[in-house]
Amino acid sequence: MDRLTAEARISELREQIEHHNRLYYIEDRPEITDQEYDQLMRELQNLEDLFPDMVTPDSPTQRVGGAPLAAFEKVVHHTPMLSLGNAFGEEELRDFDRRVRQAVGNQEVRYVCELKIDGLAISLHYENGIFVRGATRGDGQVGEDITQNLRTIRSIPLRLKRPLTLEVRGEAYMPRPAFEKLNKEREERGEALFANPRNSAAGSLRQLDPKIAASRQLDTFIYAIGDLQGIAVESHSEGLELLESLGFKVNQERRTFDSIEDVISFVNSWVEKRPQLSYDIDGIVIKVDSYSQQAELGFTAKSPRWAVAYKFPAEEAVTVLRGIEVSV
Ligand SMILES: CC(C)(CNC(=O)c1ccc(Oc2ccccc2)cc1)c1ccc2c(N)nc(N)nc2n1
């Protein structure tokens, strides 16, 4: 095959593979079988083996990186990764609403409610649409460079739909079925089990060998734009739509409400619905939607005044001590 034909076929295969990747890992509605997908990947791999100079970092064949690292480098976040203040009851949500309305005067306030995924906070940096670096939250200012491991997560796009330079935040997590399968395998091998999906996601992303992370079926939900050059969006919900249009996986259970009472009903509905999800959540995040109102509210030393995390009561941890059941 001559170079020109190879080049055309390589970009056609990449486009098809990325399309089916999105359908399978982000929209959860595959259109082709795994065998057909593997065949596309094999054809691309063969062509890249024949023409190595045509390999680019955003090629789907470049997800499972090279050799294990000796250690993780440190990364300074462009904008700090802030934490969330907590609310543990309905009254605290009403207090939050009163503080918000006090600060913004008698304007209408719209809230965005998002599931709080029980995983590991991550930051992803893109230059001209190409994934160049991913990091853990660390202390909010400095995290660890886990780019090689994050590249193995299929719901993280290696190239965006538009050549934007931006930094996004989200959660890396392990779906419960993958967690149960992993622990079953570890039990058969006589290895220590992970206590919960969050620990297994954290443990997987802390592996220096990307082949181990690649074997762990991790997933992501992106929930915030950090640095965004040159695109004007007016609200958080618009920002999430933009993230989705760029190719990120954004959780579909988010809702907007114009009153804190509706927020409270939404929060209560998730206390029951939580077990139906295929992943763990530890609460609901409520954010003021308007960016201009967020700016009016500002930040405390470590978290925004325009957001709060409603935390669910910890799962009833029952420990059997000498045959007596006690709840802790
Ligand atoms: C709201 C924010 C804290 C993200 N936002 C930021 O980290 C952030 C960071 C700098 C910002 O602006 C600054 C820029 C420079 C200096 C200081 C602040 C604004 C937001 C957050 C944190 C955890 C979340 C979580 N677990 N689940 C969901 N669903 N949403 C979450 N949202």
Side-chain angles (χ1 to χ4, degrees), residues 78-84 114-117 121 169 171 223-226 236 285 287 294 299 303-304 306-307:
H78 280 213
T79 47
M81 289 178 72
L82 302 177
S83 51
L84 288 165
E114 304 168 13
L115 302 187
K116 189 172 183 300
I117 312 301
R169 277 53 201 280
E171 204 83 5
Y223 55 64
I225 299 176
H236 176 63
V285 180
K287 301 174 181 175
Q294 288 187 7
F299 304 90
S303 46
W306 40 265

Side-chain angles (χ1 to χ4, degrees), residues 1 70 187 205 246 266 298-299 311 320:
M1 181 185 283
E187 192 173 21
L205 287 172
L246 291 173
F266 177 81
F299 304 90
K311 304 285 282 195
V320 179

Side-chain angles (χ1 to χ4, degrees), residues 71-185:
F72 292 121
E73 306 281 318
K74 292 294 180 200
V75 172
V76 179
H77 301 301
H78 280 213
T79 47
M81 289 178 72
L82 302 177
S83 51
L84 288 165
N86 290 329
F88 292 96
E90 297 184 5
E91 242 350 87
E92 290 182 56
L93 289 180
R94 293 190 180 95
D95 294 341
F96 169 70
D97 179 55
R98 275 188 282 274
R99 284 198 304 276
V100 166
R101 291 183 186 283
Q102 200 152 28
V104 302
N106 55 4
Q107 299 167 25
E108 284 297 300
V109 173
R110 167 157 293 185
Y111 292 114
V112 183
C113 295
E114 304 168 13
L115 302 187
K116 189 172 183 300
I117 312 301
D118 197 4
L120 196 76
I122 56 171
S123 178
L124 307 175
H125 187 78
Y126 289 76
E127 302 275 345
N128 304 316
I130 303 292
F131 179 46
V132 292
R133 187 176 58 250
T136 60
R137 183 178 178 285
D139 64 5
Q141 303 283 352
V142 180
E144 290 185 315
D145 184 330
I146 53 168
T147 308
Q148 293 299 344
N149 287 338
L150 291 172
R151 291 176 67 85
T152 70
I153 302 180
R154 294 311 193 273
S155 56
I156 292 180
L158 297 179
R159 185 160 53 83
L160 302 179
K161 296 279 175 66
R162 291 163 64 183
L164 296 180
T165 294
L166 80 164
E167 191 152 293
V168 300
R169 277 53 201 280
E171 204 83 5
Y173 70 95
M174 184 177 287
R176 220 178 287 124
F179 166 71
E180 277 144 19
K181 177 167 166 283
L182 175 64
N183 260 355
K184 191 166 167 302
E185 288 161 1

Side-chain angles (χ1 to χ4, degrees), residues 17 19 36 45 47 59 93 95-96 214 239 273 317:
I17 290 166
H19 170 68
E36 288 163 327
Q45 188 62 64
L47 279 174
S59 172
L93 289 180
D95 294 341
F96 169 70
K273 287 197 295 186

